[in-house]
Amino acid sequence: MAEKKGVKVEKNYQTDVPFKTNGNFHVKGAANLDWGMKKRLANIFSPRGGNTLMFAFDHGSFMGSVSGLERLDILIPQLIDHFDVLMAARGALRTCVKPNFRKGIVLRVSAGASMLNEDLSREIISVNIEEAIRINADCMAVQVFIGARGQLLSINNLSSVINEGSKYSIPTLGVIDLGKDTEHSSQYFKLATRIVAELGANIVKTYYCDDFDEVVAACPVPVIVAERNKLDEKDALSMAYKSIQSGACGLDMGSNIFQCSNPVAMADAVGKIVHNKYSDAQAWEYFCDKIKKGGK
Ligand code: 5RP
């Protein structure tokens, strides 16, 4: 973020001071929302600890059948009980998820990028509000590209989804991506998360970085973390732990689950960090133990 002439860049994030205006509702920044919004947010963030563990499998909608997601019809039933929320595109939900499941749904409503595009930052809104209502989505997810050529278009997408969602009390998740030449540092994640929250997103998804507690403190809605690349399991657990320690309200994990040799063990180990205050070392031990017992 450029320190423009006369504009002082604030450094006092008071990371030790809890968010002040939560009222009696457990989701950050949601105290003044109506009942329907709160009900859907409570389907995502556990009323007990306030956190969420989300399984992202929207990859096929821009990458095709990536490794680990070749057969959603086989994978999803194995994992469904191990997450709080599924995050996916409508075609994957309708074809591969039984409608009688009782977890939260985050429906991806923006699309347009594919592995064949040079510029992934230009998307359109592919799912309208009526369809989100028919699917009974708890939240609509829109990709937002800050510092990229498609920034204006994606902010237009985000704003229109928030405007439509507000009419029917369906929250919006802003999924942040920085332009490909933009440094993945707290400076730019602070810029992006704050823009998306101030434009009205109810949840922000971003990547972990140094000084992440400052990114979280400066964002008036819950921040959840995506890990982006497939990491070694120990490193993925460590990143999950650091994210929660820094104040993130959950993880949205994709490739570190479905490309793991034992996706259920990995999901449960991350769940221990998200919901049961496990350290990364304890979660790793739990994971190794589950593997030894054949994942049971
Ligand atoms: C892409 C997404 C992904 O769902 C998110 O990045 C999680 O997947 P992974 O853990 O594989 O990065 O939002 O836009």
Side-chain angles (χ1 to χ4, degrees):
M1 188 177 356
E3 220 165 310
K4 289 202 176 137
K5 269 188 220 151
V7 178
K8 187 170 176 287
V9 174
E10 189 53 73
K11 299 269 178 356
N12 185 10
Y13 292 97
Q14 303 184 66
T15 53
D16 53 336
V17 180
F19 189 65
K20 289 282 189 193
T21 50
N22 246 19
N24 61 1
F25 192 61
H26 66 286
V27 180
K28 189 178 186 182
N32 300 326
L33 298 180
D34 65 274
W35 195 93
M37 280 277 189
K38 284 180 170 160
K39 174 72 183 94
R40 291 187 175 91
L41 287 167
N43 287 346
I44 295 171
F45 295 99
S46 159
R48 271 183 291 158
N51 287 346
T52 190
L53 179 59
M54 208 176 272
F55 179 48
F57 58 100
D58 57 330
H59 305 59
S61 68
F62 54 98
M63 292 168 83
S65 59
V66 295
S67 168
L69 289 182
E70 296 88 345
R71 290 292 300 269
L72 293 177
D73 57 318
I74 297 173
L75 181 72
I76 304 306
Q78 291 168 14
L79 283 175
I80 210 156
D81 291 337
H82 301 266
F83 284 89
D84 304 307
V85 178
L86 299 183
M87 192 258 184
R90 67 175 151 183
L93 283 169
R94 279 221 173 95
T95 55
C96 301
V97 180
K98 283 192 178 165
N100 61 354
F101 92 113
R102 300 177 67 84
K103 304 291 176 92
I105 295 178
V106 173
L107 177 67
R108 185 182 171 111
V109 299
S110 67
S114 89
M115 291 304 284
L116 302 176
N117 291 138
E118 289 237 330
D119 179 8
L120 297 177
S121 71
R122 292 172 194 275
E123 291 198 328
I124 48 119
I125 294 305
S126 57
V127 180
N128 63 22
I129 187 71
E130 289 81 8
E131 183 74 333
I133 293 168
R134 276 192 288 273
I135 286 172
N136 200 17
D138 293 297
C139 185
M140 295 179 287
V142 183
Q143 201 85 24
V144 188
F145 300 89
I146 300 295
R149 272 188 286 174
Q151 176 174 312
L152 181 62
L153 181 59
S154 68
I155 284 185
N156 188 41
N157 291 341
L158 175 75
S159 305
S160 67
V161 170
I162 292 170
N163 289 334
E164 289 303 300
S166 300
K167 290 182 195 164
Y168 303 98
S169 296
I170 302 185
T172 299
L173 163 66
V175 178
I176 289 178
D177 228 319
L178 297 178
K180 61 178 161 41
D181 301 323
T182 307
E183 188 183 73
H184 278 207
S185 66
S186 68
Q187 192 181 11
Y188 296 106
F189 282 125
K190 271 175 211 155
L191 170 73
T193 51
R194 187 62 174 259
I195 289 173
V196 168
E198 292 215 13
L199 291 180
N202 307 99
I203 311 170
V204 171
K205 175 163 102 168
T206 188
Y207 299 115
Y208 181 79
C209 61
D210 288 344
D211 300 321
F212 199 67
D213 55 345
E214 294 184 356
V215 177
V216 172
C219 183
V221 298
V223 174
I224 57 175
V225 172
E227 292 197 323
R228 195 181 183 91
N229 298 315
K230 171 73 180 87
L231 305 170
D232 173 82
E233 281 78 14
K234 200 172 185 181
D235 292 341
L237 291 171
S238 170
M239 191 183 285
Y241 176 66
K242 285 191 280 185
S243 303
I244 296 295
Q245 285 297 103
S246 304
C249 292
L251 271 295
D252 182 28
M253 291 185 77
S255 41
N256 281 291
I257 301 293
F258 61 73
Q259 291 179 352
C260 174
S261 58
N262 191 325
V264 167
M266 189 60 184
D268 288 348
V270 181
K272 293 289 179 196
I273 292 172
V274 170
H275 293 304
N276 301 101
K277 299 193 187 329
Y278 273 36
S279 68
D280 45 353
Q282 288 171 311
W284 173 243
E285 199 179 319
Y286 175 88
F287 174 76
C288 294
D289 202 43
K290 276 206 116 178
I291 297 286
K292 253 189 252 158
K293 291 176 183 155
K296 307 255 158 47

